[in-house]
Amino acid sequence: MIKKARTFLTRWLFEGEVLRLMGLTALAKPIGLYTQVLIAKHFGAGTEYDAYLLAIFLATLMSQMIARVYGSVVVPFLIDLKSRTGAEEYFHVQMALNLLYSAPAIAFMLLVMVFGDFFVHLIAPDAPPETTALAVRALPMLAVPALALMGLEMGKVILNLNKRYRLAATMPIVNSLILVGAVLLFQERWGIWSLFGGFAAAQILQFAITWGQAKSLDFTRICRPAITKVQVAQVWSMSWMVFIATSLETANSFLEKYFSAGLAVGSVSAIGYSLVVMNFAVQIFTFSLIAMMFTRMSELIAAKDMTAVGTYLENNLRRLTRFVMPLSIGLTVASLQIVQVLFERGQFDHTDTLLTSQTLALYMVGLPAMVINQIVARIFYSLNRMRDKVWLALQYVATATLGNILLIPSLQVAGIAVSATLSINLHIGLGLWVLSRNRNGIRTGGFIRVILRAYAIGAIVYALFYLAGLGALTERLITGGSHGQMFLLGFVRVALVFGLYFACEALARFLKLHRARLAAG
């Protein structure tokens, strides 16, 4: 029985190691969500939490961008280098790369510490004075933790490169436990500063654990950095374009803060709470399937086995869409109940719930594209198609900016969510089209059909849910306003969506087989 269940999960969902990594990531999320419950209870959606989000965003901006560039460029570069050189040269080059990538983040952090007031007013010119003042005060204490965050992400890349995925996937658990402890132990005494302190402690401890493990397993060595001019030129030729693409994509987060800071108090927080739930889903795949896929794709491309790359992508995208598409629809139709259960208590009142749930529902429509884009972006990186990625990133920011300008006057903070959803879906569509036009040896037609089929089934399921009156039916069957009843209502809605999706998936599969039999005579 257990063997049959394992075979079913592997065939319809993911292979064993991916499921184990997803389990580790999912284990961290209840703790992380509990942290958000505590934050909502004590700080609500007000000026202090707005300041926290602005300060963390600004302090970690360059560190996260550099970490993303490092992960995108270094994995294929070091895989190729490792196959051609000995361990001695490999570790010298790795150390040189670590220092080269760290330099701009250190320089930016010094600028933020010196000119903090300028940067805070740049990203939030219309924020209340108490919000900007608190954000400016917090920046100096975030300098070292922000650099530790960059080092942590670099360490995860090194572990994933050597196929030690589980330790990297365990780090969110450590992060969540420290944040929960900081809020529980120090909130009454320190207030919002307990969150800043928890963030700082979490990043520094994770950095030490990750690199300590990498050192103990001989995945890295403390040695003299050494890299040739040819290697620097090779890395630079890839890095600057990835950096521009990453900068443009990060600019969308900047624009969200910029536009929302000038709206009603709590708008920044509404986006922040919505993205907590969004990231719950995205990170389950990013820390598991996508981390493994990037390493495997880079190995296959280095071996020039493009047929295997196409087959590998198609199989994993088929499994991915079977889960992420109904999850997106389920979280959309249950957004009100999710926000009520997780956040509505203490300082977080029903008005905050309505604002946040509306924002969350609109963001959730873009969840499949957000996850699929993580894979598509890594295809470009593995193929060294950096220039195409820059143009696509420019489209993403331009579309989001235009959408914000057009939609915010009428929809307020919901306009930001609608713009983000439209932009990411257009972005993924254009990315797939560009890949199909490139003669890179990868058969893109198969996985493009998989994605389009999933979107078509998703649209049918969403329409069936409301046309059949399932939303109204569940509200009539499960009444009351307690957290337990809201949890049950949300769970039933999500379960109904998954049931509808798998029924439609099975019907589509049956019709396909039936047509094949008729064609075969």
Side-chain angles (χ1 to χ4, degrees):
M1 186 70 180
I2 295 174
K3 185 177 180 181
K4 288 182 179 179
R6 187 182 294 117
T7 303
F8 173 81
L9 288 173
T10 302
R11 179 182 174 186
W12 283 88
L13 292 176
F14 306 102
E15 57 193 58
E17 182 63 18
V18 174
L19 290 174
R20 282 188 286 271
L21 293 173
M22 284 183 172
L24 283 173
T25 306
L27 183 62
K29 292 309 170 183
I31 309 170
L33 288 175
Y34 180 60
T35 307
Q36 294 301 317
V37 169
L38 292 175
I39 291 170
K41 177 181 177 181
H42 294 298
F43 308 112
T47 56
E48 285 192 329
Y49 192 55
D50 283 358
Y52 172 78
L53 293 174
L54 289 171
I56 293 292
F57 170 75
L58 187 54
T60 62
L61 175 64
M62 185 61 70
S63 293
Q64 290 191 332
M65 287 170 56
I66 293 296
R68 287 177 62 186
V69 176
Y70 182 89
S72 301
V73 173
V74 166
V75 169
F77 179 82
L78 286 183
I79 284 176
D80 180 63
L81 180 68
K82 202 171 186 179
S83 66
R84 295 185 291 101
T85 62
E88 193 73 19
E89 180 181 348
Y90 172 82
F91 287 119
H92 284 299
V93 172
Q94 185 195 102
M95 179 61 68
L97 290 174
N98 293 342
L99 295 176
L100 284 172
Y101 278 96
S102 299
I106 295 171
F108 177 79
M109 203 64 251
L110 291 172
L111 284 175
V112 169
M113 290 176 65
V114 176
F115 303 105
D117 188 69
F118 166 78
F119 282 105
V120 170
H121 283 90
L122 178 65
I123 64 171
D126 298 321
E130 55 268 34
T131 297
T132 55
L134 179 57
V136 171
R137 286 175 58 201
L139 284 174
M141 75 171 289
L142 296 175
V144 172
L147 295 176
L149 173 62
M150 178 187 65
L152 164 65
E153 296 303 323
M154 288 181 173
K156 287 180 180 179
V157 169
I158 298 301
L159 291 173
N160 289 337
L161 183 67
N162 289 277
K163 299 184 179 179
R164 294 300 177 101
Y165 305 105
R166 294 187 194 180
L167 181 64
T170 305
M171 286 301 99
I173 301 176
V174 177
N175 183 72
S176 298
L177 286 173
I178 293 174
L179 285 175
V180 167
V183 175
L184 287 175
L185 295 174
F186 303 111
Q187 184 277 326
E188 289 187 7
R189 184 185 304 175
W190 294 351
I192 194 68
W193 293 101
S194 61
L195 272 181
F196 288 112
F199 172 83
Q203 307 318 311
I204 292 170
L205 181 60
Q206 289 178 92
F207 171 84
I209 293 172
T210 302
W211 281 102
Q213 185 71 3
K215 177 71 170 60
S216 68
L217 294 171
D218 200 29
F219 297 157
T220 189
R221 294 178 187 173
I222 300 174
C223 57
R224 180 179 58 84
I227 189 169
T228 67
K229 291 182 178 180
V230 173
Q231 289 170 331
V232 170
Q234 184 180 354
V235 170
W236 171 249
S237 68
M238 296 184 288
S239 296
W240 75 266
M241 284 185 283
V242 177
F243 182 78
I244 291 175
T246 303
S247 300
L248 289 170
E249 291 171 0
T250 304
N252 192 51
S253 297
F254 169 87
L255 290 170
E256 287 180 348
K257 303 290 187 300
Y258 178 86
F259 284 112
S260 61
L263 300 175
V265 172
S267 294
V268 176
S269 298
I271 291 175
Y273 286 119
S274 299
L275 293 180
V276 166
V277 182
M278 168 76 87
N279 290 335
F280 173 88
V282 173
Q283 289 175 1
I284 284 178
F285 300 104
T286 303
F287 294 158
S288 54
L289 174 67
I290 295 169
M292 290 183 65
M293 283 184 68
F294 188 33
T295 303
R296 182 59 180 154
M297 276 194 302
S298 298
E299 291 173 345
L300 291 172
I301 289 172
K304 302 189 185 307
D305 191 350
M306 296 306 185
T307 301
V309 173
T311 303
Y312 181 73
L313 284 168
E314 183 176 342
N315 289 338
N316 281 286
L317 279 167
R318 184 178 291 108
R319 295 178 178 126
L320 174 67
T321 53
R322 283 181 185 142
F323 186 79
V324 75
M325 190 61 70
L327 179 64
S328 167
I329 302 166
L331 294 178
T332 299
V333 301
S335 59
L336 178 61
Q337 292 74 40
I338 290 169
V339 175
Q340 284 179 314
V341 171
L342 292 178
F343 306 129
E344 191 177 306
R345 54 181 55 80
Q347 296 297 312
F348 196 103
D349 58 26
H350 193 64
T351 301
D352 297 328
T353 293
L354 293 176
L355 179 64
T356 303
S357 63
Q358 180 190 38
T359 307
L360 173 62
L362 295 169
Y363 270 119
M364 279 298 123
V365 178
L367 175 62
M370 286 288 293
V371 175
I372 294 170
N373 184 57
Q374 299 288 319
I375 296 174
V376 173
R378 284 159 176 78
I379 299 173
F380 281 100
Y381 298 147
S382 295
L383 293 170
N384 292 330
R385 304 291 303 191
M386 310 303 184
R387 196 177 302 275
D388 292 335
K389 198 71 185 72
V390 170
W391 286 112
L392 287 167
L394 184 62
Q395 164 272 315
Y396 181 55
V397 175
T399 307
T401 304
L402 180 62
N404 286 332
I405 292 171
L406 294 176
L407 297 174
I408 285 176
S410 58
L411 299 178
Q412 295 295 289
V413 69
I416 297 175
V418 172
S419 176
T421 296
L422 292 174
S423 299
I424 192 62
N425 278 282
L426 179 59
H427 183 67
I428 191 69
L430 288 174
L432 292 169
W433 179 77
V434 170
L435 281 175
S436 70
R437 302 284 294 177
N438 289 331
R439 296 182 178 179
N440 47 48
I442 300 176
R443 297 195 305 270
T444 58
F447 59 81
I448 290 175
R449 285 192 296 273
V450 166
I451 294 169
L452 291 176
R453 180 173 177 269
Y455 269 84
I457 294 175
I460 292 169
V461 168
Y462 188 80
L464 284 174
F465 186 88
Y466 281 106
L467 290 175
L470 295 179
L473 176 63
T474 53
E475 286 185 351
R476 287 197 300 271
L477 293 175
I478 304 171
T479 58
S482 70
H483 283 119
Q485 289 163 325
M486 288 300 100
F487 174 82
L488 180 60
L489 177 57
F491 177 82
V492 169
R493 286 186 167 191
V494 173
L496 284 172
V497 167
F498 268 89
L500 283 172
Y501 190 90
F502 282 117
C504 291
E505 171 89 16
L507 178 61
R509 185 177 178 84
F510 170 78
L511 292 174
K512 181 180 178 182
L513 292 173
H514 182 65
R515 286 195 300 269
R517 291 193 196 99
L518 291 176

